[in-house]
Amino acid sequence: RLPVPFGLVRYGVAPDHPEVKNCINSFTSLMQTHRCRFYGNINVGKDISMRQIRSAYDAIVLAYGAENNRKLHIPGEDISGCYAAREFVGWYNGFPSTIDLKPDLNSEKAVIFGHGNVALDVARILLAPITMLEKTDICENALEVLRNSKTCQGREKDLGDIPICIYLTFDASNSRVQPDQQSTLRRWHIKFNRSPVEVLSSQNYERVNGVRMEVNNLEETSETVRAVGSGKFEDITCGLVISSIGYKSVAIDEDIPYDPINGIIPNVKGRVVNIGNPTEKGEYIKGVYCSGWVKRGPIGVIASTMTDAFETANMILDDMNRDNSYSEPRLGFDEIVKYLNQKEVKYVTFEDWCKIDAYEQNLGKIRGKPREKINSIAEMLNIVDIPK
């Protein structure tokens, strides 16, 4: 859908983890062999239908990730000052749909709900020294907000790899130091066995003023241990709340089966299963596969996603070896481009992306960083139109 490749690696991996982004080099090498082609700025379900794509290709792999966030479903979560981690991560990583997000970081306390990698990424970005972030590919507009915020003022420590936690709280004050030093020290807290029950608001209900959590007790059953509410509650005063409790995939085309409860495409080892038509329920849809978060939900790291992709690839090879109909000629993108031209869709090739890539790297070089990401789709397309 976007004019640029690399999805989660570009827009999800934290700026302070550049080594994780090295897989981009492998993808680029693959594109340069011309055995694989990239076409961007095409919205499946709007610019082109799944039915049209199936007519042009033998096999289609749906790997569009999870672009929605799971909700807390508690009072106050829509108050100003409460953000989904997906939005916040997209904001500092330059995701185009977050270009207008203006998080208020002028509170001295922040609370993050979550216990996964994304929660820890957000924690590190809030606490990392500005001088360190300035050398990463974090977006300049986000960096400017972080420079001037109270939440992030007086950074002195990088969290590094802290333990997996349920809640993270960041407090700009420190009772052990003199008042004139309070704005220069940072501390973070971990709270386990808590469930958020309400985001508290200021008296005029305009913005976040705190969070209320129920203290849980752990109860052991014959099969597992579960957290059960104790009826005891505690409040934390804060002006920023970030919810990092998971992502959720969405349906993109009426011809693609979708499980709204689990937020995935129904499948068996990557083979997409039809659940919409009662006469075909449980049957594989020939030539349609899925991989990644849209296949099994937003869990795991990049390495587990790779293993997941290998499984789907093996299913494709097995099916092609068994079914002779896969040898029938298909036109591929030569057929797709006819539909796109009819709708005057301006699609982007890998060569076009290389222009954007070079532009971003040059802009970053001026600012002493690896790249400065362009977060406007219109600007990306304008760069593509610049003659070589």
Side-chain angles (χ1 to χ4, degrees):
R1 188 181 61 185
L2 294 174
V4 295
F6 309 131
L8 181 65
V9 179
R10 177 179 169 93
Y11 291 119
V13 174
D16 60 340
H17 280 175
E19 72 283 352
V20 180
K21 303 183 183 185
N22 288 337
C23 59
I24 286 178
N25 298 330
S26 299
F27 295 142
T28 299
S29 297
L30 177 62
M31 292 294 180
Q32 291 171 343
T33 67
H34 303 293
R35 297 178 60 205
C36 179
R37 293 188 290 177
F38 166 78
Y39 297 101
N41 202 43
I42 302 171
N43 196 336
V44 176
K46 179 182 178 182
D47 299 329
I48 192 80
S49 71
M50 187 63 180
R51 189 168 299 178
Q52 291 169 328
I53 296 174
R54 289 185 67 191
S55 70
Y57 292 93
D58 292 305
I60 299 100
V61 180
L62 302 164
Y64 58 84
E67 63 178 81
N68 250 354
N69 51 277
R70 294 186 182 276
K71 303 278 285 184
L72 287 165
H73 298 295
I74 61 174
E77 69 175 315
D78 295 321
I79 296 174
S80 176
C82 186
Y83 305 96
R86 179 187 63 83
E87 299 171 312
F88 196 78
V89 170
W91 169 70
Y92 64 66
N93 270 334
F95 193 69
S97 66
T98 64
I99 191 171
D100 295 323
L101 191 71
K102 294 178 173 58
D104 186 347
L105 304 185
N106 288 315
S107 168
E108 291 186 345
K109 292 185 180 181
V111 172
I112 301 173
F113 294 135
H115 59 87
N117 295 333
V118 176
L120 301 184
D121 285 347
V122 171
R124 287 198 322 279
I125 296 302
L126 286 174
L127 290 183
I130 285 291
T131 53
M132 185 272 283
L133 291 178
E134 287 174 336
K135 299 174 183 177
T136 72
D137 65 355
I138 190 171
C139 282
E140 188 62 32
N141 64 304
L143 194 57
E144 189 62 25
V145 174
L146 291 168
R147 281 193 190 102
N148 299 311
S149 71
K150 289 183 179 178
T151 307
C152 311
Q153 188 178 11
R155 302 151 180 271
E156 68 163 19
K157 126 180 232 168
D158 181 359
L159 278 180
D161 295 322
I162 67 175
I164 295 297
C165 55
I166 303 302
Y167 303 101
L168 296 175
T169 307
F170 306 93
D171 187 345
S173 65
N174 190 320
S175 59
R176 294 175 298 176
V177 300
Q178 298 301 314
D180 61 345
Q181 296 176 306
Q182 287 189 0
S183 65
T184 64
L185 295 180
R186 311 294 304 167
R187 60 179 179 173
W188 54 274
H189 315 264
I190 301 174
K191 285 184 176 288
F192 293 94
N193 297 330
R194 303 292 192 277
S195 292
V197 295
E198 185 177 359
V199 176
L200 306 174
S201 65
S202 55
Q203 289 185 344
N204 55 10
Y205 301 102
E206 288 186 355
R207 66 167 295 104
V208 168
N209 193 39
V211 296
R212 177 163 296 155
M213 299 181 291
E214 183 173 11
V215 180
N216 294 324
N217 294 324
L218 296 181
E219 292 188 357
E220 188 173 352
T221 67
S222 59
E223 297 180 351
T224 186
V225 176
R226 61 175 185 159
V228 179
S230 67
K232 298 178 181 178
F233 301 87
E234 61 182 32
D235 294 352
I236 295 178
T237 301
C238 66
L240 174 68
V241 174
I242 298 175
S243 172
S244 181
I245 59 169
Y247 293 41
K248 188 176 183 180
S249 296
V250 298
I252 61 171
D253 187 283
E254 60 181 10
D255 288 327
I256 300 174
Y258 177 71
D259 177 353
I261 297 176
N262 296 306
I264 61 172
I265 293 174
N267 71 93
V268 177
K269 294 185 176 181
R271 292 186 178 103
V272 174
V273 178
N274 195 320
I275 60 171
N277 187 338
T279 62
E280 299 177 357
K281 190 173 182 180
E283 293 185 2
Y284 297 131
I285 300 180
K286 181 181 175 181
V288 183
Y289 306 85
C290 60
S291 185
W293 283 4
V294 77
K295 171 183 174 181
R296 57 183 167 76
I299 55 176
V301 294
I302 289 178
S304 48
T305 303
M306 289 173 60
T307 302
D308 186 68
F310 296 154
E311 179 184 62
T312 297
N314 286 331
M315 295 302 104
I316 297 173
L317 293 174
D318 288 347
D319 290 347
M320 287 188 168
N321 288 332
R322 281 201 309 264
D323 192 339
N324 292 331
S325 66
Y326 278 100
S327 62
E328 296 175 3
R330 304 272 184 166
L331 294 178
F333 194 75
D334 289 340
E335 180 175 343
I336 298 298
V337 73
K338 293 187 295 185
Y339 301 122
L340 298 178
N341 289 338
Q342 289 171 5
K343 291 191 174 183
E344 298 182 342
V345 175
K346 183 177 181 179
Y347 62 89
V348 173
T349 66
F350 194 75
E351 289 71 23
D352 294 330
W353 149 247
C354 289
K355 285 186 176 183
I356 299 172
D357 182 39
Y359 187 93
E360 290 183 342
Q361 291 192 50
N362 288 334
L363 197 58
K365 187 175 181 180
I366 295 171
R367 296 173 178 173
K369 53 198 300 192
R371 73 170 63 239
E372 180 62 42
K373 292 180 201 166
I374 305 302
N375 57 7
S376 162
I377 291 178
E379 188 175 352
M380 291 179 189
L381 297 180
N382 285 338
I383 293 169
V384 168
D385 287 338
I386 298 174
K388 288 186 178 180

